[in-house]
Amino acid sequence: MLSNLVSRLSKLRKTFSHTSEASLEVIEDVLIQADVGVKYTSIILQKLAKTKSNVLVVLKDEMIRLLSLAKPELEGEPPFIIMVSGVNGSGKTTTVAKLASLYSQQASVLLVSADTYRDAAHEQLNIWSRRVGVEIVGSQKGQDSAAVVYDAMGKAGSKKIEYVIIDTAGRLHTRTDLMEELKKILRVVKKFKSGGPDHNLLTIDATLGQNSIQQARIFTEGIGLNGLILTKFDGTAKGGAIIPISNELHLPVLYLGIGEGVEDIIEFEPKDFVHALFD
Ligand SMILES: Nc1nc2c(ncn2[C@@H]2O[C@H](COP(=O)(O)OP(=O)(O)OP(=O)(O)O)[C@@H](O)[C@H]2O)c(=O)[nH]1
Ligand SMILES: [Mg+2]
C-alpha cells in the first residue's frame, strides 16, 4: 500500500524532495509550491523557527498533526450508507466503484445510481458494477433520484446488504435547485437511518489545489458532509492543498484517489501519507 502511494505521489514527492536542504527558506518555498497556502505555511514555519530539534522531523510531525482530523466511524447496525457528492467530473462515479471494490472484499455491497441527470450515467455505473461484481440499483435519465434511493434502501433492508454506496449527479455548488435535490435524497436516507448517511462524502479534484475550498464550503453548508475524498492525487504537484482544504472545511480526508483503475484508492492515514512524501 505504502509503496503504491509513494509511486503515485511522484509529482508531489518531487516538490518535497527539496526539503532535504532543510533551510527554512527552502521549506517555505516547497510548501507554497505544493499549495499548502500562506496561512498553513506560516503556521508550520513558526513551529520550525522555534524548534531545537531536527527541522525535518518537526515538519513531518506538524504536517501529520494538521492532517489528523477525527474520522466518522462506521459503527452500529448495517447497512452502512455512503453517499458521494461533488462537482461535475470530480471523480464521484469512479470513486463509488473503487469503494464498492474495497468493501466487497469483506462484505455485501449495493451500488446506487442516483445520477439521473447525465446521459448514460447509469450505464457507466452498470459497467463498474459488473466489473467489480456487486449488485446495483439502476435508474433512468430524468427519474426522481430520491425515489431511486428509496428503492435501494428498501432492497438493502430486505437483502441484508451491509454497504449501500450512492453515486449522485455532478453539480455546481451554485445550482441551488440541485443542492435541494441532494437534501431530498438525504431526507429519504433518514427515513431508513435517522442519522442519515454514515459517510456523507464530497469528492474534490486534487489537481485544483486550494481553488476548490470555496465550492466545497457551499456543499458543506448545504448538506452537512462528514468527510472528503481527494481524487486525482496521482496527477498533481499541488497536493499540499490537502492541508488547507481539510482544515478550512473542518473535515477529515477519508480516502485518496490515486489513479483511474478500480484498485486506485487508498484509505487516508496522515502518517503514511506524510512519510510517503519524504522517505
Ligand atoms: N488520474 C486519475 N483520474 C481519475 C481519478 N478519479 C477519477 N478520475 C478520472 O476523472 C474522470 C471523471 O471521473 P468520474 O468518476 O466520471 O467523475 P464524476 O464526478 O462521476 O463525473 P460526473 O458524473 O460527470 O459529474 C474520469 O476520466 C476518471 O477516470 C483518480 O484518482 N486519478
Ligand atoms: Mg458520475
Side-chain angles (χ1 to χ4, degrees):
M1 216 51 155
L2 198 58
S3 63
N4 198 6
L5 189 59
V6 167
S7 69
R8 296 303 172 85
L9 294 184
S10 57
K11 284 197 179 159
L12 192 56
R13 277 171 55 80
K14 195 163 173 233
T15 310
F16 273 93
S17 66
H18 301 290
T19 54
S20 60
E21 295 176 37
S23 83
L24 292 194
E25 289 74 23
V26 172
I27 291 176
E28 179 171 14
D29 280 352
V30 166
L31 294 175
I32 294 293
Q33 268 182 48
D35 212 17
V36 171
V38 174
K39 177 174 167 185
Y40 293 93
T41 296
S42 92
I43 290 173
I44 294 169
L45 284 177
Q46 278 172 24
K47 277 268 161 71
L48 298 184
K50 273 190 253 161
T51 187
K52 293 193 173 62
S53 330
N54 181 305
V55 170
L56 280 182
V57 173
V58 179
L59 172 61
K60 285 182 216 171
D61 285 350
E62 188 59 8
M63 288 178 69
I64 292 167
R65 186 186 69 80
L66 286 167
L67 289 168
S68 298
L69 286 83
K71 294 179 186 174
E73 301 291 336
L74 294 174
E75 295 169 327
E77 289 294 301
F80 301 114
I81 319 296
I82 297 160
M83 175 165 142
V84 178
S85 318
V87 298
N88 308 74
S90 55
K92 296 171 294 299
T93 304
T94 313
T95 298
V96 299
K98 291 172 178 178
L99 291 175
S101 169
L102 199 65
Y103 289 124
S104 66
Q105 290 166 17
Q106 318 201 5
S108 51
V109 172
L110 181 65
L111 272 174
V112 185
S113 171
D115 179 353
T116 56
Y117 276 90
R118 196 162 56 72
D119 284 325
H122 166 234
E123 194 40 40
Q124 186 191 359
L125 197 62
N126 231 331
I127 292 168
W128 279 120
S129 82
R130 282 199 296 272
R131 212 178 280 172
V132 175
V134 298
E135 283 197 70
I136 180 169
V137 169
S139 60
Q140 303 285 321
K141 193 179 180 215
Q143 211 181 330
D144 177 7
S145 57
V148 175
V149 171
Y150 188 92
D151 288 348
M153 295 300 298
K155 185 169 178 180
S158 63
K159 292 195 140 191
K160 304 241 182 304
I161 300 276
E162 291 162 282
Y163 290 88
V164 178
I165 308 179
I166 305 170
D167 184 26
T168 62
R171 65 202 71 220
L172 274 177
H173 53 297
T174 45
R175 285 284 301 270
T176 45
D177 53 333
L178 296 183
M179 213 51 94
E180 288 306 313
E181 189 215 17
L182 286 178
K183 291 182 193 169
K184 191 172 166 195
I185 294 177
L186 285 175
R187 286 195 294 276
V188 166
V189 171
K190 283 178 184 168
K191 286 190 180 140
F192 294 85
K193 199 155 190 179
S194 59
D198 298 86
H199 281 178
N200 187 0
L201 308 179
L202 187 74
T203 48
I204 294 180
D205 178 341
T207 62
L208 301 176
Q210 291 188 84
N211 293 328
S212 41
I213 293 178
Q214 190 47 30
Q215 50 179 236
R217 196 174 271 136
I218 294 169
F219 275 93
T220 308
E221 286 160 5
I223 57 166
L225 305 164
N226 64 7
L228 303 173
I229 300 173
L230 267 60
T231 62
K232 311 185 194 182
F233 227 89
D234 49 305
T236 181
K238 292 189 186 174
I242 189 171
I243 291 177
I245 289 172
S246 176
N247 281 277
E248 290 299 306
L249 299 170
H250 308 293
L251 288 171
V253 176
L254 302 196
Y255 299 96
L256 298 182
I258 52 168
E260 295 187 276
V262 80
E263 308 284 315
D264 295 330
I265 191 162
I266 195 151
E267 217 174 306
F268 181 72
E269 292 298 343
K271 272 189 192 153
D272 291 350
F273 173 75
V274 170
H275 288 289
L277 287 184
F278 290 90
D279 303 334

